[in-house]
Amino acid sequence: MYITCLDVEGVLVPEIWIAFAEASGIPELKKTTRDEPDYDKLMNWRLSVLKEHGLGLKEIQKTIAKIDPLPGAKKFLDELRTFSQVILISDTFTQFATPLMEKLGWPTLFCNTLEVAEDGEITGFRMRCEQSKLTTVKALQSMGFETIASGDSYNDLGMIKASKAGFLFRSTEQIKADNPDIPAYEEYDELLAAIKKAMK
Ligand SMILES: [Mg+2]
C-alpha cells in the first residue's frame, strides 16, 4: 500500500514568502531561513512586519490569491492522484496555503497553523510537530503504508531518505551534488514516471 508525500513550496507552488513579498510590495519579507536560521525568530519578525503594514489574515489571503501554482503543477497532481494517495507536507501555514490549495483542487495538506484573533490579526503560530515531514512519513509507515517522497530542499531529505523511494525535484546543484544517490528530476513527467515505477 503506497502513499506519496510531496513537499509544496518549490515543487508545486513558488516559495510563498518570496512570492508574497513581491505581490504585497514588501521586499523585506524576502528574508528566509538562510538569513535568519532561527525559525521562531524569523516568523515573529515576519508577523511584526505584517502588523506594521496593517495586514491581517484577510488581506494576506487576498494577496496570496494572486499567486499561482507552478505551471503544470495542477495537471501533475491530478494525474498522480489517479493512481496514488497523496499528502502534501509543508512547513508553511494552512491559512497561507489555502488560496493555493483551492487552485490545486483541494489536495490533502499537512502543515502548521496561524493563531488568528477575531478581528483577523495574526497573533502567533503553532508548529504541528518537530521535523514534521520525517515524523509524518514515519507515522504513515507505522500504519502499514510504504511511502514515496519528493521535495526540493534540505528539510525534505529526512522524508526522502526514510521512504521506500525518494526523489529530489527542482533542487539546488549543491543538494544534488551532496546526495548523488537520490534521483533528481526537473520535469513533472519524469517525476510522475519515477513514482509510477516505484509502485510496481
Ligand atoms: Mg520546498
Side-chain angles (χ1 to χ4, degrees), residues 150-162:
S150 185
D152 70 330
S153 199
Y154 285 106
N155 62 349
D156 300 306
L157 291 173
M159 72 167 176
I160 288 175
K161 288 178 180 172

Side-chain angles (χ1 to χ4, degrees), residues 7-13 15 89-90 133 150-156 169-170:
D7 172 37
V8 179
E9 291 174 77
V11 173
L12 298 171
V13 308
E15 293 292 332
I89 310 176
S90 170
K133 300 185 190 217
S150 185
D152 70 330
S153 199
Y154 285 106
N155 62 349
D156 300 306
F169 187 72
R170 295 188 185 166

Side-chain angles (χ1 to χ4, degrees), residues 7 9 13-14 17 25-26 42 59 61 73 80 98-99 101 105 129 132 138 150 152 159 170 181 187-188:
D7 172 37
E9 291 174 77
V13 308
W17 281 102
I26 311 173
L42 177 66
E59 293 77 23
Q61 287 188 326
L80 178 61
T98 296
M101 292 306 109
C129 60
S132 65
K138 281 187 174 164
S150 185
D152 70 330
M159 72 167 176
R170 295 188 185 166
D181 49 325
E187 299 302 328
Y188 289 121

Side-chain angles (χ1 to χ4, degrees), residues 5-64:
C5 298
L6 287 181
D7 172 37
V8 179
E9 291 174 77
V11 173
L12 298 171
V13 308
E15 293 292 332
I16 291 178
W17 281 102
I18 292 176
F20 180 73
E22 278 161 10
S24 64
I26 311 173
E28 66 255 46
L29 285 176
K30 281 186 186 163
K31 197 182 207 183
T32 68
T33 44
R34 267 175 286 192
D35 312 298
E36 173 52 73
D38 183 333
Y39 190 76
D40 268 21
K41 215 168 144 189
L42 177 66
M43 265 313 296
N44 283 315
W45 173 83
R46 282 166 169 168
L47 294 186
S48 74
V49 172
L50 295 177
K51 198 174 172 182
E52 228 170 78
H53 285 81
L55 293 174
L57 182 59
K58 224 165 135 193
E59 293 77 23
I60 293 167
Q61 287 188 326
K62 232 170 153 181
T63 309
I64 290 179

